[in-house]
Amino acid sequence: MNSLPMSLSKHIIYTFVLFFILSFDVNAQSWYQVNSIPGPNRHHPICFSIDGIGYLLCGNADQDQTGQPFLRDFYSYDPANDQWIKKADFPGTPRGFGVGLEYRGKGYAGFGYGNNRYLDDLWEYDPQTNRWTQLPSCPCAGRTHPAFVAGFGKIYVGLGGTGRNADDWWSYDIESRQWQQEQTFPGAARHHPYYFSIDQIPYVGFGHSGPPTVIHNDFYKFDPITGEWEQMNDFPSHGRVAGTHFDHLGKGYILAGDGADHGYDVGEFWEYDPLSDTWLQLPTFPADGRWAPGCFDIDGTVYFTSGFARNTRVLHNDLWGFDLNITTRNGGVEEDFFTAFPNPTQGALNVSGTQDNDVYELFDLNGKKIMTLTATELTSTIDLSSFQSGIYFLKLKRGKETISSQRIVKL
């Protein structure tokens, strides 16, 4: 058989290499599947991560969303070797519709429904000793799928289903082991909201209220210092309920759930920027949309799992990853346009890697602009010695566009 002309052979090789490069680039910025949970398929898993290890426990193993059977199994996931390990069962009541989070190197879980009652308990998991400790129960009504966030030494819980939709808001002081009722949530009473904590500030919104059924798209911020709520901009897409959520590097994320008709949704993925109070849509989850899934974040990779797919009537135990570190607004690779150090700082913040006409804007934790400097004005140092201790955000503008931002911690 005659061989191909040299020019055509080179063209085919070039096309294949280009296709491989483009395919690799696309895959690097998309969802990918890893090892499934070794236990039962479920919805409403309780998920969190600590020091590079993901944890998953409890949930509902039913196909019809009524609740039974409730689970108490407990697993850890190591992304370095894509391996799940079954741990000793959770010592509390087997449950579904519960919640969990990580705070300061420990896991916290509780609430939900089990043993024919709404649960009000709170548990702490220490990965160093591999032990669960029961903490004082909330003096509030027991509830299913409430908001559950942490910040400034406290665990916050509220909203959810108590036999009716709730709008109360409570805090648990980890050091004093005391519960306190906080200012009532200002929106409609609801269950199954979305929530996350950005730099220890709770954000809560969306969810389901009624009857009559309303799926919300309103969004609120709770100030732990003043104890007051503030309404933020509404979510720019339709209302949603019963998805999953997390935070990473100063931004919040919501993923999957049901749409405004409480029916099948395609697995939308959104990023929230608290500085601009805006939402950005990220690549949609590629498999079935999910009701009541779970997720955990490990070093900027979100791992998404479980949930019930209404369109296929399938209950899942799969696990998918998505790397936030390489995905940006334009789908490209994020660049560090400037370096700020030391961070945390006691006063002097050195800045390098920018151009003469760049403009820096410093914002406090509430999004208020408190300083504007050009690169030539600041030379190489910003003096923060007179600022109060806390978290700030330094944004770099080039022309009219904000091209990079960094979180700054003032000691």
Side-chain angles (χ1 to χ4, degrees):
M1 183 173 65
N2 293 333
S3 60
L4 292 170
M6 181 64 69
S7 59
L8 182 57
S9 299
K10 289 182 178 179
H11 176 75
I12 292 173
I13 293 171
Y14 172 79
T15 301
F16 174 79
V17 171
L18 180 61
F19 173 79
F20 176 81
I21 293 172
L22 291 175
S23 298
F24 179 82
D25 185 60
V26 169
N27 290 335
Q29 298 170 42
S30 63
W31 289 91
Y32 57 93
Q33 192 166 6
V34 289
N35 271 336
S36 298
I37 307 165
N41 298 16
R42 69 194 70 202
H43 59 80
H44 286 93
I46 297 173
C47 301
F48 53 82
S49 64
I50 304 173
D51 294 332
I53 300 296
Y55 296 90
L56 181 145
L57 65 148
C58 298
N60 311 61
D62 66 307
Q63 287 282 359
D64 58 7
Q65 306 173 59
T66 59
Q68 297 287 355
F70 297 118
L71 303 172
R72 66 190 305 174
D73 50 351
F74 182 36
Y75 304 87
S76 66
Y77 174 73
D78 184 353
N81 54 25
D82 190 20
Q83 180 179 4
W84 288 93
I85 296 176
K86 190 177 189 310
K87 308 176 77 66
D89 285 351
F90 172 64
T93 302
R95 72 194 60 206
F97 314 108
V99 287
L101 57 83
E102 179 276 337
Y103 188 60
R104 294 179 175 173
K106 293 184 178 180
Y108 294 88
F111 299 90
Y113 189 88
N115 282 355
N116 296 313
R117 66 186 182 93
Y118 293 93
L119 301 172
D120 58 9
D121 55 348
L122 180 64
W123 295 76
E124 179 184 79
Y125 175 71
D126 187 339
Q128 301 301 316
T129 61
N130 192 30
R131 289 184 179 177
W132 288 94
T133 301
Q134 187 168 10
L135 304 177
S137 295
C138 182
C140 61
R143 64 197 62 208
T144 56
H145 34 59
F148 191 66
V149 292
F152 295 99
K154 296 181 178 181
I155 306 292
Y156 293 92
V157 64
L159 290 69
T162 63
R164 61 180 181 83
N165 290 308
D167 60 3
D168 53 344
W169 188 246
W170 297 76
S171 65
Y172 173 78
D173 189 295
I174 296 172
E175 183 175 354
S176 69
R177 296 168 60 90
Q178 297 293 316
W179 285 93
Q180 175 179 318
Q181 188 165 9
E182 303 284 353
Q183 186 180 97
T184 300
F185 178 72
R190 67 194 68 189
H191 66 270
H192 243 154
Y194 289 73
Y195 52 86
F196 41 71
S197 180
I198 302 177
D199 296 312
Q200 306 195 66
I201 302 294
Y203 291 81
V204 182
F206 322 139
H208 178 292
S209 66
T213 296
V214 177
I215 308 297
H216 297 279
N217 70 343
D218 53 346
F219 193 55
Y220 302 83
K221 175 174 70 174
F222 179 76
D223 187 332
I225 307 302
T226 66
E228 297 180 349
W229 290 92
E230 177 185 354
Q231 186 165 5
M232 314 307 289
N233 288 331
D234 286 351
F235 180 59
S237 186
H238 52 76
R240 52 199 317 106
V241 62
T244 189
H245 23 247
F246 65 100
D247 70 279
H248 176 66
L249 292 182
K251 294 183 180 179
Y253 298 86
I254 65 171
L255 174 59
D258 284 355
D261 61 354
H262 216 323
Y264 171 69
D265 195 68
V266 294
E268 291 181 3
F269 188 22
W270 291 80
E271 173 189 270
Y272 176 73
D273 186 341
L275 292 181
S276 58
D277 189 17
T278 58
W279 293 88
L280 168 72
Q281 189 165 10
L282 299 178
T284 298
F285 177 65
D288 295 331
R290 307 286 173 87
W291 174 84
C295 75
F296 49 84
D297 167 47
I298 298 179
D299 298 327
T301 296
V302 57
Y303 291 92
F304 175 78
T305 184
S306 307
F308 179 76
R310 293 191 188 278
N311 62 324
T312 60
R313 309 299 296 175
V314 171
L315 192 64
H316 288 278
N317 72 339
D318 50 353
L319 183 68
W320 295 72
F322 184 93
D323 191 348
L324 289 166
N325 297 308
I326 59 174
T327 301
T328 61
R329 293 178 181 272
N330 60 6
V333 178
E334 185 173 0
E335 297 181 40
D336 293 325
F337 288 94
F338 70 94
T339 301
F341 62 95
N343 189 16
T345 178
Q346 295 184 338
L349 183 70
N350 300 306
V351 179
S352 63
T354 57
Q355 302 175 6
D356 286 346
N357 293 325
D358 287 345
V359 174
Y360 290 93
E361 295 177 334
L362 188 68
F363 294 81
D364 66 15
L365 192 57
N366 294 317
K368 179 181 178 182
K369 187 190 300 184
I370 55 179
M371 181 184 291
T372 301
L373 293 169
T374 66
T376 52
E377 287 173 334
L378 66 87
T379 58
S380 62
T381 303
I382 299 176
D383 184 7
L384 302 181
S385 57
S386 62
F387 287 70
Q388 292 183 346
S389 298
I391 298 169
Y392 298 85
F393 296 91
L394 187 62
K395 299 174 68 174
L396 170 62
K397 294 184 71 174
R398 189 164 291 164
K400 295 183 178 181
E401 182 180 3
T402 299
I403 61 172
S404 188
S405 64
Q406 291 190 32
R407 182 178 61 173
I408 306 299
V409 178
K410 167 65 169 58
L411 299 176

